[in-house]
Amino acid sequence: MDLRDSKLLITGATGSLGKQLIYESLRRGIRPIAMVRRESDTRYLDANNIEKRVADIRNQAEIAQAVKGIDAVIHCVAWVNFRQDKLTQFTGINTIGALDTYRACVKAGVKRFVQVSSIAAVGGNPRMSEGSSQPMNEDWVFNLEHLHIPYVMTKHAAERELRKAAADGGPELVIVNPSTIAAPSRTGDDRGKASKTFSRRFLPDLPNLVNLVDIRDVAPAILAAVEKGRPGERYLLVGDNIPVRELILKVAGLLGCKPHLISLPTWFYMSAAHAAVAWNKLTGREKTSFYPDLVRLKEYNWAYSNAKARVELGFSPRPM
């Protein structure tokens, strides 16, 4: 598909990745269309004279209007947060919203649908198992069903339901799974947040492998998935696999900090998580950001292979 001769709709166009996709599209001579909410900050889109279509991801009628006359859709809308509450809202945005958008695309005759999923929907490699440090690829079987983490649950469910819908006919479905996205900031906000984190007296010395990828490498790969990704396939858009300890030390070096790393047993984290949940219930606090299932993520390595995306999409992530 030649995107310069096609109508491309980007949902979630005012988010960090959405704006990077707009930038990358314009750089290539592609004029995308942005799907935005009424309350979205559209200054970047307006400054670049981007056509906007207003729709709420929870409003089927508005979605149907937004995808009319469109050839391809990059679906970026998602609620990215690891809190434990608000499962209904996570489901409505991450799962039902994606499925409703795809079904609207079926009726509108859209040719291709790229779902921007998450590496969390692929699964994790248990650290205590043989080969736990080996990178996972697109064939890894999802193994986090037992963890009640709404974001993970709903992103995996979206992939499952979209595959079912695509099997019945409709736009060609391609799924991309970025890992943790690092986004350079010209405002200094990211450095400020990092400095605040690293100013703490102690930081956890975790044994896990994690994966990061630069947003400037993810956007071109997603456009490549629209143009030449194979229907029904998924592509892991991942960068370097790195131990958490090494990551902390590298960031600390950039910030000029000397972090005090402390290694604590899992039972300590679990006890603290149970206490946090109990305190939230006692005080009536709704938001639950620290809980036992989140601690259980310590039991996995998050190392992935980008070999398939390199070969088929020309993906070339810069070093961490």
Side-chain angles (χ1 to χ4, degrees):
M1 177 180 288
D2 187 346
L3 291 179
R4 286 172 295 185
D5 297 325
S6 305
K7 282 196 172 185
L8 171 67
L9 179 73
I10 299 174
T11 72
T14 57
S16 295
L17 181 56
K19 286 190 285 190
Q20 190 70 31
L21 282 164
I22 296 288
Y23 167 81
E24 187 64 29
S25 297
L26 294 174
R27 194 178 70 83
R28 298 180 179 205
I30 301 165
R31 298 295 304 180
I33 299 169
M35 190 176 104
V36 301
R37 294 174 297 160
R38 287 175 178 80
E39 63 272 25
S40 296
D41 181 352
T42 63
R43 285 176 293 179
Y44 178 75
L45 306 180
D46 297 336
N48 288 282
N49 198 29
I50 298 296
E51 179 185 342
K52 303 188 296 292
R53 298 189 180 182
V54 177
D56 189 303
I57 198 64
R58 293 161 293 190
N59 188 311
Q60 294 180 6
E62 291 182 352
I63 295 172
Q65 287 296 317
V67 300
K68 280 187 175 179
I70 295 297
D71 297 306
V73 169
I74 298 176
H75 185 63
C76 289
V77 172
W79 187 11
V80 184
N81 195 302
F82 279 79
R83 60 193 287 176
Q84 191 183 38
D85 55 307
K86 303 286 186 182
L87 176 59
T88 300
Q89 289 86 340
F90 274 100
T91 302
I93 296 171
N94 293 349
T95 305
I96 297 174
L99 191 57
D100 283 346
T101 304
Y102 185 86
R103 286 171 173 165
C105 289
V106 173
K107 295 179 180 178
V110 174
K111 299 181 182 68
R112 176 157 284 218
F113 187 97
V114 174
Q115 164 73 357
V116 180
S117 187
S118 165
I119 211 67
V122 175
N125 198 344
R127 286 196 304 107
M128 296 298 106
S129 66
E130 185 177 347
S132 62
S133 62
Q134 292 301 309
M136 294 170 277
N137 61 21
E138 287 79 1
D139 298 325
W140 187 264
V141 178
F142 183 73
N143 58 345
L144 304 177
E145 299 93 339
H146 62 293
L147 298 182
H148 299 287
I149 302 175
Y151 175 69
V152 176
M153 296 163 63
T154 55
K155 291 300 282 186
H156 172 66
E159 288 194 19
R160 184 184 64 239
E161 296 306 316
L162 284 170
R163 288 185 183 278
K164 289 180 183 177
D168 293 331
E172 296 174 339
L173 174 66
V174 180
I175 297 173
V176 293
N177 300 79
S179 60
T180 301
I181 296 178
S185 170
R186 292 183 178 179
T187 66
D189 292 344
D190 292 340
R191 178 175 286 270
K193 292 175 184 176
S195 296
K196 184 177 180 180
T197 298
F198 277 73
S199 67
R200 295 171 181 168
R201 186 175 295 274
F202 299 107
L203 289 174
D205 188 2
L206 301 174
N208 313 73
L209 289 171
V210 292
N211 189 287
L212 285 83
V213 66
D214 195 297
I215 197 170
R216 295 167 294 180
D217 301 323
V218 172
I222 292 175
L223 291 176
V226 180
E227 294 173 323
K228 56 187 177 182
R230 287 188 289 141
E233 296 293 324
R234 77 175 346 168
Y235 298 91
L236 306 190
L237 306 183
V238 300
D240 290 341
N241 300 307
I242 182 171
V244 171
R245 179 185 180 86
E246 183 180 342
L247 176 62
I248 289 175
L249 293 176
K250 284 184 178 293
V251 174
L254 290 172
L255 295 172
C257 302
K258 292 184 178 180
H260 299 284
L261 295 171
I262 182 169
S263 181
L264 297 170
T266 299
W267 66 259
F268 178 88
Y269 289 106
M270 290 297 288
S271 298
H274 281 293
V277 171
W279 177 254
N280 284 351
K281 289 182 178 179
L282 182 65
T283 59
R285 186 183 179 191
E286 187 179 63
K287 185 176 181 180
T288 305
S289 299
F290 187 53
Y291 49 95
D293 278 345
L294 199 62
V295 173
R296 292 188 177 97
L297 295 181
K298 277 181 79 268
E299 299 170 6
Y300 298 88
N301 276 328
W302 312 94
Y304 302 90
S305 168
N306 57 29
K308 182 177 176 181
R310 283 181 178 272
V311 172
E312 298 189 21
L313 303 181
F315 180 53
S316 183
R318 67 199 73 199
M320 189 281 298

